[in-house]
């Protein structure tokens, strides 16, 4: 009964939701198609009022969607009658992104291809003869070939499902008058947390100890068993003091009372003031104050810091920023963290340094030849390695999907560009029907002469 949806939603347990999904499938398979569809529609209505929707939405999307193929590539189709055709090269988390595209009148085709990284040939098959927009991945090569295919199909919008766009040749899109979107503003704390997790895991040798335990090697407590480094009152260094670098610095300074030394071409006065005020708080409580110092060279950070975390962009100047010579400047017991971009580190030089300095440790979320690692890295016990998961919190990954969808939907509807890409919460937190009529972040908006939304 529709009038009871709100009442039921407030009491529906997640396990009950799973049971209803299962029951709906069973009824459908037994021939009761009409009953199954009614049951699914009612349950989906309840779930829209539940936080569990974000977790279980993939099951419901599959039940609602049509399975077909485009030039031999399997796809899942939503809103078949939509006037704009939008291709999504990989399944995305949550369902808010899909609601935004459907609200904009988009027919959404999600690739179900088995390859983790799609080739250009496969993506061109997905684009086909008519395609209005694409949401792509940072693992794909969006250059002249793909943008020409998109333009030839009548494409008007592309968004990267990432804040970075090193995989996108923006100038090739601009030549073809295709706006390029990205997803800033939702990765800051999530990425900083992962960098902090890598720091602690490496310094305290957590993965080594985990492997030791699972192998059944633990026979009893020993004074010398997996002795690591204490971070308290040490010095943390960051290279790149933007949003993520500053968030990581605050976590390490506040959490472990570490002093901060940083290098950035532009001073972060807000961060400096924050740490000075925190130092004064410690002083008033009878504790030694923390201090912050901006230095003029990367070498100074490497020499002084016990932990160095990289938070710089990847460009010609930062490629192999950390090389053999600079690694040699670091303390023999230092910890090096990279959750920025893989090629910022000369990975082969890092492997050699790890072998030669067993007390030196690193934590890596990204790799130079991702998804591959340089020979020998996987065998180094003093390296903590994870598969590019810095943004992998549900809030962030679903938020990235929402922003990517809003970029494409906004462009296709002729909306202006959001003037404050650092403040994108209205796209993430407002009801879908109240999302601003704007594209949240278009990196080539100025070059294309796109108008900005009225100041908000």
């Amino acid at each position: 009964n529709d009038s009871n949806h709100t009442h039921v939603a407030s009491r529906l347990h997640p396990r009950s939701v799973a049971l209803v999904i299962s029951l709906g499938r069973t009824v459908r398979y037994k021939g009761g198609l009409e009953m199954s569809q009614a049951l699914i529609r009612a349950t989906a209505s309840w779930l829209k009022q539940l936080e569990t929707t974000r977790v279980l939405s993939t099951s419901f999307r599959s039940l609602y969607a049509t399975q077909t193929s485009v030039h031999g590539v399997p796809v899942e189709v939503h809103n078949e009658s939509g006037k704009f055709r939008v291709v999504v090269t990989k399944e995305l988390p949550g369902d808010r992104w899909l609601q935004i595209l459907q609200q904009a009148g988009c027919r959404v085709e999600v690739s179900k291809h088995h390859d983790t990284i799609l080739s250009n040939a496969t993506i061109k098959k997905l684009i086909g003869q008519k395609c209005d927009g694409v949401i792509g991945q940072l693992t794909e090569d969006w250059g002249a070939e793909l943008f020409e295919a998109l333009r030839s199909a009548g494409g008007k919008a592309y968004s990267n499902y990432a804040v970075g766009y090193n995989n996108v040749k923006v100038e090739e899109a601009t030549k073809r008058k295709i706006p390029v979107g990205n997803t800033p503003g939702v990765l800051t704390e999530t990425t900083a947390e992962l960098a902090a997790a890598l720091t602690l895991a490496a310094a305290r040798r957590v993965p080594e100890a985990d492997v030791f335990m699972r192998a059944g090697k633990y026979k009893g407590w020993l004074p010398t068993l997996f002795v690591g480094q204490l971070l308290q009152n040490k010095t943390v260094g960051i290279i790149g003091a933007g949003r993520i670098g500053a968030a990581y610095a605050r976590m390490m300074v506040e959490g472990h009372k570490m002093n901060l030394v940083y290098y950035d071409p532009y001073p972060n006065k807000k961060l400096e003031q924050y740490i000075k005020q925190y130092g004064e708080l410690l002083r008033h409580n009878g504790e030694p104050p923390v201090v912050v110092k901006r230095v003029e060279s990367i070498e100074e950070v490497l020499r002084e810091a016990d932990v160095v975390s990289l938070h710089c962009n990847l460009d010609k100047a930062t490629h192999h920023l950390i090389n053999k010579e600079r690694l040699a400047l670091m303390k023999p017991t230092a910890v090096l963290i990279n959750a920025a971009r893989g090629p910022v580190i000369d990975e082969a030089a890092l492997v050699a340094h790890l072998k030669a300095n067993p007390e030196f440790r690193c934590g890596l979320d990204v790799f130079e030849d991702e998804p591959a690692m340089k020979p020998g890295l996987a065998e180094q016990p003093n390296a903590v390695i994870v598969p590019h998961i810095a943004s992998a919190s549900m809030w962030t990954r679903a938020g990235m999907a929402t922003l990517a969808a809003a970029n494409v939907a906004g462009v296709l509807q002729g909306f202006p560009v959001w003037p404050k890409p650092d403040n994108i919460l209205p796209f993430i937190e407002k009801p879908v029907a109240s999302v601003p009529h704007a594209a949240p972040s278009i990196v080539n908006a100025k070059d294309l002469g796109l108008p900005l939304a009225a100041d908000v």
Side-chain angles (χ1 to χ4, degrees):
N1 186 330
D2 288 347
S3 64
N4 288 330
H5 285 175
T6 302
H7 174 77
V8 174
S10 66
R11 290 162 175 76
L12 195 59
H13 191 279
R15 289 178 183 171
S16 301
V17 175
L19 178 61
V20 173
I21 294 172
S22 177
L23 177 59
R25 287 173 171 157
T26 302
V27 173
R28 185 173 65 174
Y29 295 152
K30 295 297 183 182
L33 181 59
E34 182 178 347
M35 177 181 175
S36 173
Q37 290 176 338
L39 180 62
I40 292 166
R41 282 196 300 272
T43 308
S45 177
W46 300 337
L47 282 173
K48 284 178 181 178
Q49 302 170 61
L50 290 174
E51 200 55 33
T52 49
T53 307
R54 292 185 177 182
V55 179
L56 299 168
S57 57
T58 301
S59 298
F60 273 95
R61 288 207 302 270
S62 297
L63 287 169
Y64 275 126
T66 300
Q67 309 295 325
T68 185
S69 64
V70 178
H71 301 294
V73 181
V75 296
E76 188 175 275
V77 182
H78 303 268
N79 195 29
E80 290 183 74
S81 60
K83 62 179 179 178
F84 300 118
R85 179 173 178 261
V86 174
V87 167
V88 182
T89 62
K90 282 293 171 187
E91 180 73 49
L92 302 178
D95 68 346
R96 184 179 176 89
W97 66 271
L98 184 57
Q99 293 174 36
I100 285 174
L101 289 171
Q102 289 175 333
Q103 182 175 268
C106 298
R107 171 191 170 102
V108 183
E109 299 184 11
V110 182
S111 171
K112 308 299 285 185
H113 197 280
H114 56 78
D115 286 350
T116 301
I117 299 175
L118 298 187
S119 67
N120 283 11
T122 299
I123 295 172
K124 287 196 290 185
K125 287 181 181 179
L126 286 166
I127 291 171
Q129 307 270 312
K130 183 199 179 290
C131 180
D132 297 287
V134 175
I135 296 176
Q137 304 295 314
L138 57 80
T139 52
E140 298 159 2
D141 181 17
W142 280 89
E145 182 182 5
L146 290 183
F147 282 122
E148 181 58 29
L150 182 56
R151 185 203 64 80
S152 298
K156 304 175 185 68
Y158 170 79
S159 187
N160 226 30
Y161 178 68
V163 63
Y165 44 94
N166 298 106
N167 64 307
V168 180
K169 291 184 174 60
V170 178
E171 65 277 8
E172 296 294 342
T174 304
K175 284 180 192 175
R176 296 164 176 83
K177 301 189 184 309
I178 298 175
V180 173
N182 70 333
T183 64
V186 290
L187 293 94
T188 301
E189 301 298 334
T190 296
T191 303
E193 279 187 359
L194 194 279
L198 288 173
T199 303
L200 292 168
R204 296 304 303 272
R205 306 178 65 182
V206 174
E208 294 175 74
D210 181 84
V211 170
F212 183 84
M213 285 294 294
R214 293 176 190 276
K217 295 180 179 179
Y218 182 54
K219 305 304 180 184
W221 185 88
L222 288 171
T224 57
L225 190 61
F226 293 111
V227 175
Q229 298 296 325
L230 179 69
L231 299 179
Q232 202 81 359
N233 303 125
K234 297 288 184 66
T235 297
V236 60
I238 59 171
I239 297 173
R243 289 190 300 268
I244 296 172
Y248 170 83
R250 291 196 305 268
M251 290 177 188
M252 303 310 295
V253 171
E254 289 185 274
H256 305 280
K257 299 183 176 63
M258 300 183 82
N259 296 314
L260 173 65
V261 56
Y262 79 96
Y263 170 79
D264 194 295
Y266 306 98
N268 189 329
K269 296 296 185 183
K270 185 177 179 180
L271 174 63
E272 291 180 19
Q273 184 63 25
Y274 186 92
I275 292 176
K276 287 176 183 176
Q277 290 175 346
Y278 181 61
E280 286 303 308
L281 174 65
L282 292 175
R283 188 196 306 277
H284 285 306
N285 285 321
E287 298 182 64
V290 293
V291 296
V292 56
K293 178 173 66 174
R294 175 177 172 263
V295 295
E296 296 299 322
S297 71
I298 292 167
E299 285 76 10
E300 289 178 79
V301 175
L302 298 178
R303 290 190 186 99
E304 188 170 337
D306 300 287
V307 174
V308 175
S309 190
L310 307 176
H311 299 282
C312 49
N313 295 325
L314 176 62
D315 54 31
K316 291 180 180 178
T318 60
H319 183 267
H320 283 191
L321 185 76
I322 303 300
N323 54 24
K324 177 182 178 181
E325 291 73 24
R326 283 178 167 157
L327 285 166
L329 298 175
M330 298 181 71
K331 296 179 180 181
T333 57
V335 177
L336 176 65
I337 303 298
N338 188 13
R341 289 291 181 265
V344 170
I345 296 178
D346 180 345
E347 202 169 294
L350 176 61
V351 172
H353 193 76
L354 289 166
K355 288 179 178 178
N357 299 273
E359 297 303 312
F360 182 92
R361 308 195 185 281
C362 72
L364 306 177
D365 178 58
V366 288
F367 306 90
E368 187 172 354
D369 301 321
E370 198 166 315
M373 293 184 288
K374 292 294 186 185
L377 180 59
E379 288 72 48
Q380 299 311 305
N382 46 346
V384 180
I385 47 180
V386 296
H388 205 149
I389 58 171
S391 65
S393 71
M394 189 61 194
W395 186 86
T396 292
R397 290 280 174 92
M400 291 165 62
T402 294
L403 293 176
N407 282 329
V408 171
V411 170
L412 294 181
Q413 293 174 100
F415 292 163
V417 178
W418 187 246
K420 297 183 177 180
D422 289 339
N423 178 24
I424 47 68
L425 288 182
F427 293 90
I428 305 298
E429 296 183 344
K430 285 189 174 183
V432 171
S434 302
V435 164
H437 286 184
S441 181
I442 302 297
V443 300
N444 57 346
K446 185 176 180 181
D447 291 335
L448 290 172
L450 301 180
L452 295 180
D455 197 18
V456 290

PDB file of all heavy atoms in Angstrom, residues 399-416:
ATOM      1  N   GLY A 399      30.094   9.741  -4.594  1.00  0.00           N
ATOM      2  CA  GLY A 399      30.127  11.172  -4.888  1.00  0.00           C
ATOM      3  C   GLY A 399      30.808  11.463  -6.213  1.00  0.00           C
ATOM      4  O   GLY A 399      30.371  12.344  -6.976  1.00  0.00           O
ATOM      5  N   MET A 400      31.884  10.750  -6.515  1.00  0.00           N
ATOM      6  CA  MET A 400      32.558  10.909  -7.804  1.00  0.00           C
ATOM      7  C   MET A 400      31.616  10.562  -8.956  1.00  0.00           C
ATOM      8  O   MET A 400      31.572  11.261  -9.982  1.00  0.00           O
ATOM      9  CB  MET A 400      33.801  10.017  -7.854  1.00  0.00           C
ATOM     10  CG  MET A 400      34.923  10.445  -6.929  1.00  0.00           C
ATOM     11  SD  MET A 400      36.168   9.137  -6.701  1.00  0.00           S
ATOM     12  CE  MET A 400      36.783   8.932  -8.380  1.00  0.00           C
ATOM     13  N   ALA A 401      30.855   9.484  -8.778  1.00  0.00           N
ATOM     14  CA  ALA A 401      29.892   9.089  -9.809  1.00  0.00           C
ATOM     15  C   ALA A 401      28.832  10.164 -10.002  1.00  0.00           C
ATOM     16  O   ALA A 401      28.441  10.485 -11.133  1.00  0.00           O
ATOM     17  CB  ALA A 401      29.247   7.758  -9.427  1.00  0.00           C
ATOM     18  N   THR A 402      28.368  10.731  -8.894  1.00  0.00           N
ATOM     19  CA  THR A 402      27.360  11.794  -8.964  1.00  0.00           C
ATOM     20  C   THR A 402      27.890  12.996  -9.733  1.00  0.00           C
ATOM     21  O   THR A 402      27.201  13.558 -10.592  1.00  0.00           O
ATOM     22  CB  THR A 402      26.938  12.215  -7.542  1.00  0.00           C
ATOM     23  OG1 THR A 402      26.264  11.117  -6.916  1.00  0.00           O
ATOM     24  CG2 THR A 402      26.022  13.417  -7.567  1.00  0.00           C
ATOM     25  N   LEU A 403      29.114  13.413  -9.431  1.00  0.00           N
ATOM     26  CA  LEU A 403      29.693  14.580 -10.103  1.00  0.00           C
ATOM     27  C   LEU A 403      29.929  14.313 -11.588  1.00  0.00           C
ATOM     28  O   LEU A 403      29.668  15.180 -12.436  1.00  0.00           O
ATOM     29  CB  LEU A 403      30.999  14.974  -9.429  1.00  0.00           C
ATOM     30  CG  LEU A 403      30.876  15.516  -8.000  1.00  0.00           C
ATOM     31  CD1 LEU A 403      32.254  15.778  -7.417  1.00  0.00           C
ATOM     32  CD2 LEU A 403      30.041  16.778  -7.964  1.00  0.00           C
ATOM     33  N   ALA A 404      30.416  13.113 -11.921  1.00  0.00           N
ATOM     34  CA  ALA A 404      30.631  12.773 -13.326  1.00  0.00           C
ATOM     35  C   ALA A 404      29.310  12.802 -14.091  1.00  0.00           C
ATOM     36  O   ALA A 404      29.230  13.336 -15.204  1.00  0.00           O
ATOM     37  CB  ALA A 404      31.300  11.405 -13.439  1.00  0.00           C
ATOM     38  N   ALA A 405      28.278  12.231 -13.488  1.00  0.00           N
ATOM     39  CA  ALA A 405      26.958  12.227 -14.128  1.00  0.00           C
ATOM     40  C   ALA A 405      26.410  13.636 -14.262  1.00  0.00           C
ATOM     41  O   ALA A 405      25.840  14.004 -15.296  1.00  0.00           O
ATOM     42  CB  ALA A 405      25.996  11.359 -13.319  1.00  0.00           C
ATOM     43  N   ALA A 406      26.594  14.451 -13.218  1.00  0.00           N
ATOM     44  CA  ALA A 406      26.097  15.826 -13.258  1.00  0.00           C
ATOM     45  C   ALA A 406      26.841  16.657 -14.303  1.00  0.00           C
ATOM     46  O   ALA A 406      26.260  17.553 -14.920  1.00  0.00           O
ATOM     47  CB  ALA A 406      26.212  16.464 -11.881  1.00  0.00           C
ATOM     48  N   ASN A 407      28.123  16.370 -14.519  1.00  0.00           N
ATOM     49  CA  ASN A 407      28.868  17.043 -15.588  1.00  0.00           C
ATOM     50  C   ASN A 407      28.243  16.764 -16.944  1.00  0.00           C
ATOM     51  O   ASN A 407      27.980  17.677 -17.731  1.00  0.00           O
ATOM     52  CB  ASN A 407      30.326  16.581 -15.594  1.00  0.00           C
ATOM     53  CG  ASN A 407      31.170  17.238 -14.521  1.00  0.00           C
ATOM     54  OD1 ASN A 407      30.934  18.376 -14.144  1.00  0.00           O
ATOM     55  ND2 ASN A 407      32.157  16.510 -14.020  1.00  0.00           N
ATOM     56  N   VAL A 408      28.025  15.485 -17.230  1.00  0.00           N
ATOM     57  CA  VAL A 408      27.467  15.097 -18.528  1.00  0.00           C
ATOM     58  C   VAL A 408      26.032  15.600 -18.664  1.00  0.00           C
ATOM     59  O   VAL A 408      25.658  16.196 -19.684  1.00  0.00           O
ATOM     60  CB  VAL A 408      27.538  13.564 -18.706  1.00  0.00           C
ATOM     61  CG1 VAL A 408      26.753  13.124 -19.943  1.00  0.00           C
ATOM     62  CG2 VAL A 408      28.988  13.110 -18.808  1.00  0.00           C
ATOM     63  N   ALA A 409      25.220  15.385 -17.635  1.00  0.00           N
ATOM     64  CA  ALA A 409      23.818  15.820 -17.688  1.00  0.00           C
ATOM     65  C   ALA A 409      23.720  17.332 -17.839  1.00  0.00           C
ATOM     66  O   ALA A 409      22.886  17.846 -18.595  1.00  0.00           O
ATOM     67  CB  ALA A 409      23.090  15.364 -16.427  1.00  0.00           C
ATOM     68  N   GLY A 410      24.575  18.060 -17.124  1.00  0.00           N
ATOM     69  CA  GLY A 410      24.545  19.515 -17.189  1.00  0.00           C
ATOM     70  C   GLY A 410      24.875  20.039 -18.577  1.00  0.00           C
ATOM     71  O   GLY A 410      24.196  20.922 -19.108  1.00  0.00           O
ATOM     72  N   VAL A 411      25.917  19.483 -19.190  1.00  0.00           N
ATOM     73  CA  VAL A 411      26.306  19.919 -20.535  1.00  0.00           C
ATOM     74  C   VAL A 411      25.205  19.594 -21.545  1.00  0.00           C
ATOM     75  O   VAL A 411      24.845  20.428 -22.381  1.00  0.00           O
ATOM     76  CB  VAL A 411      27.643  19.275 -20.951  1.00  0.00           C
ATOM     77  CG1 VAL A 411      27.930  19.531 -22.422  1.00  0.00           C
ATOM     78  CG2 VAL A 411      28.784  19.807 -20.093  1.00  0.00           C
ATOM     79  N   LEU A 412      24.671  18.372 -21.474  1.00  0.00           N
ATOM     80  CA  LEU A 412      23.646  17.970 -22.437  1.00  0.00           C
ATOM     81  C   LEU A 412      22.382  18.820 -22.325  1.00  0.00           C
ATOM     82  O   LEU A 412      21.673  19.018 -23.313  1.00  0.00           O
ATOM     83  CB  LEU A 412      23.301  16.493 -22.256  1.00  0.00           C
ATOM     84  CG  LEU A 412      24.423  15.493 -22.583  1.00  0.00           C
ATOM     85  CD1 LEU A 412      23.953  14.075 -22.392  1.00  0.00           C
ATOM     86  CD2 LEU A 412      24.944  15.703 -23.999  1.00  0.00           C
ATOM     87  N   GLN A 413      22.104  19.325 -21.122  1.00  0.00           N
ATOM     88  CA  GLN A 413      20.919  20.166 -20.939  1.00  0.00           C
ATOM     89  C   GLN A 413      21.205  21.655 -21.170  1.00  0.00           C
ATOM     90  O   GLN A 413      20.316  22.491 -21.004  1.00  0.00           O
ATOM     91  CB  GLN A 413      20.364  19.974 -19.526  1.00  0.00           C
ATOM     92  CG  GLN A 413      19.796  18.573 -19.295  1.00  0.00           C
ATOM     93  CD  GLN A 413      19.382  18.374 -17.846  1.00  0.00           C
ATOM     94  OE1 GLN A 413      18.199  18.477 -17.497  1.00  0.00           O
ATOM     95  NE2 GLN A 413      20.347  18.088 -16.993  1.00  0.00           N
ATOM     96  N   GLY A 414      22.453  21.969 -21.529  1.00  0.00           N
ATOM     97  CA  GLY A 414      22.791  23.354 -21.795  1.00  0.00           C
ATOM     98  C   GLY A 414      22.959  24.205 -20.554  1.00  0.00           C
ATOM     99  O   GLY A 414      22.869  25.440 -20.623  1.00  0.00           O
ATOM    100  N   PHE A 415      23.245  23.581 -19.412  1.00  0.00           N
ATOM    101  CA  PHE A 415      23.424  24.328 -18.172  1.00  0.00           C
ATOM    102  C   PHE A 415      24.791  25.019 -18.162  1.00  0.00           C
ATOM    103  O   PHE A 415      25.736  24.546 -18.801  1.00  0.00           O
ATOM    104  CB  PHE A 415      23.345  23.406 -16.954  1.00  0.00           C
ATOM    105  CG  PHE A 415      21.976  22.824 -16.701  1.00  0.00           C
ATOM    106  CD1 PHE A 415      21.825  21.721 -15.867  1.00  0.00           C
ATOM    107  CD2 PHE A 415      20.835  23.367 -17.279  1.00  0.00           C
ATOM    108  CE1 PHE A 415      20.577  21.175 -15.609  1.00  0.00           C
ATOM    109  CE2 PHE A 415      19.581  22.825 -17.033  1.00  0.00           C
ATOM    110  CZ  PHE A 415      19.452  21.723 -16.203  1.00  0.00           C
ATOM    111  N   PRO A 416      24.936  26.105 -17.416  1.00  0.00           N
ATOM    112  CA  PRO A 416      26.245  26.740 -17.255  1.00  0.00           C
ATOM    113  C   PRO A 416      27.144  25.911 -16.337  1.00  0.00           C
ATOM    114  O   PRO A 416      26.721  24.885 -15.788  1.00  0.00           O
ATOM    115  CB  PRO A 416      25.898  28.093 -16.622  1.00  0.00           C
ATOM    116  CG  PRO A 416      24.622  27.831 -15.885  1.00  0.00           C
ATOM    117  CD  PRO A 416      23.868  26.831 -16.716  1.00  0.00           C
TER     118      PRO A 416
END
